[in-house]
Amino acid sequence: MKVFVIGATGVLGREAVPRLRAAGHEVGVLDRHTTSMFDAGQLAKALTGYDAVINLATRIPLTAKAVMASAWAENNRIRTEGSAALVEAAQRAGVERIVQEGISFVYADGGDRELDETAPIEPVGHVASSVQAQRNVLGHPGGVFLRIGLLMGGEAMSPPVLVGDGWMSVVHPGDAAAAAIAVLDAPPGIYNVGSPVLKRDLGITRLPKFMGRFAASFEVFARSQRVVSTKLTDATGWKPRVQPMCG
């Protein structure tokens, strides 16, 4: 299969490209010097002749500035405008499969219940752009949207803080990349991507109460989200190979 990768130099892209090539796929990558991911015309030209495109592009703020809404603006634009341009380009170029990265933090607090892809979502703040990307990509007949857990291990940087002591879904970047490849042949739709969930009371840092209003910015990270990836495993045989450790 000829597969085009957007975000090839990112944490997930660096894991996905060699895996794609090892699996025998012909791989092309976005050249940001000649092609804008926000320009459907340029993208369509770049995608011509490809069977599938995997969009792993993000711009996640990883410093203390992540508490500021403005720090998420570029990541939000990549997910919303970028995914919309990609869908239009893929349709023009005749690309049959789009795989789009997203996050599992959109789920509402589920307590101790297991959350599959049909569980209620509560997208607020900077996670809302992931839901818009989902809507855009699922508008393509071959669209696949991945709700990926917290990346831990490998080259992934831990977020500045995690809050609370509920359940969390985590995944190693290599396993998340493997999932993006596995769904190239899966039925279109939404798939959770995560290792067996962990309790956040296992060495996870809590946000100090004195931070006041800044704590509200991380409300989504305080939710208990016992997300399961059964649908992905049943559809593709994918299973996480690395169990990320908290600490």
Side-chain angles (χ1 to χ4, degrees):
M1 184 181 291
K2 293 188 67 175
V3 183
F4 192 85
V5 179
I6 300 175
T9 60
V11 171
L12 291 178
R14 289 194 296 271
E15 296 278 1
V17 169
R19 283 173 167 78
L20 282 163
R21 289 175 174 153
H25 298 292
E26 183 179 337
V27 181
V29 300
L30 179 73
D31 182 346
R32 288 179 293 177
H33 298 291
T34 62
T35 306
S36 168
M37 70 174 298
F38 304 109
D39 188 311
Q42 293 180 3
L43 275 176
K45 183 177 180 180
L47 289 173
T48 298
Y50 284 89
D51 304 301
V53 55
I54 300 177
N55 185 13
L56 302 174
T58 61
R59 189 66 62 83
I60 306 293
L62 294 172
T63 66
K65 292 181 179 180
V67 299
M68 303 171 61
S70 59
W72 293 87
E74 184 62 17
N75 188 67
N76 291 340
R77 184 180 181 226
I78 287 172
R79 286 215 169 108
T80 56
E81 295 180 30
S83 63
L86 177 58
V87 170
E88 181 180 343
Q91 291 172 332
R92 290 190 198 179
V95 177
E96 296 182 354
R97 171 52 48 100
I98 299 178
V99 178
Q100 169 72 42
E101 71 79 35
I103 53 178
S104 66
F105 307 119
V106 296
Y107 287 110
D109 192 307
D112 289 328
R113 300 189 308 276
E114 291 188 341
L115 306 179
D116 65 12
E117 291 79 1
T118 66
I121 63 173
E122 190 177 338
V124 296
H126 56 266
V127 304
S129 60
S130 183
V131 176
Q132 183 58 55
Q134 173 189 302
R135 293 193 190 102
N136 292 341
V137 170
L138 294 187
H140 186 283
V144 173
F145 189 81
L146 303 178
R147 289 179 178 166
I148 301 172
L150 178 68
L151 295 179
M152 298 190 76
E155 296 184 32
M157 294 181 64
S158 297
V161 68
L162 289 169
V163 191
D165 55 6
W167 294 91
M168 63 183 295
S169 175
V170 298
V171 65
H172 189 278
D175 285 328
I181 298 169
V183 295
L184 288 172
D185 297 315
I190 302 169
Y191 294 89
N192 292 334
V193 182
S195 298
V197 291
L198 302 175
K199 288 285 279 186
R200 276 194 294 250
D201 55 2
L202 301 179
I204 298 297
T205 304
R206 297 168 187 266
L207 188 66
K209 292 181 180 179
F210 69 80
M211 292 192 70
R213 64 187 179 87
F214 291 112
S217 300
F218 288 91
E219 182 272 332
V220 293
F221 297 120
R223 298 174 184 172
S224 182
Q225 297 173 327
R226 196 174 184 177
V227 180
V228 294
S229 305
T230 307
K231 179 181 176 182
L232 175 62
T233 299
D234 290 346
T236 68
W238 174 91
K239 290 183 179 180
R241 300 181 62 183
V242 181
Q243 175 63 57
M245 299 301 293
C246 298

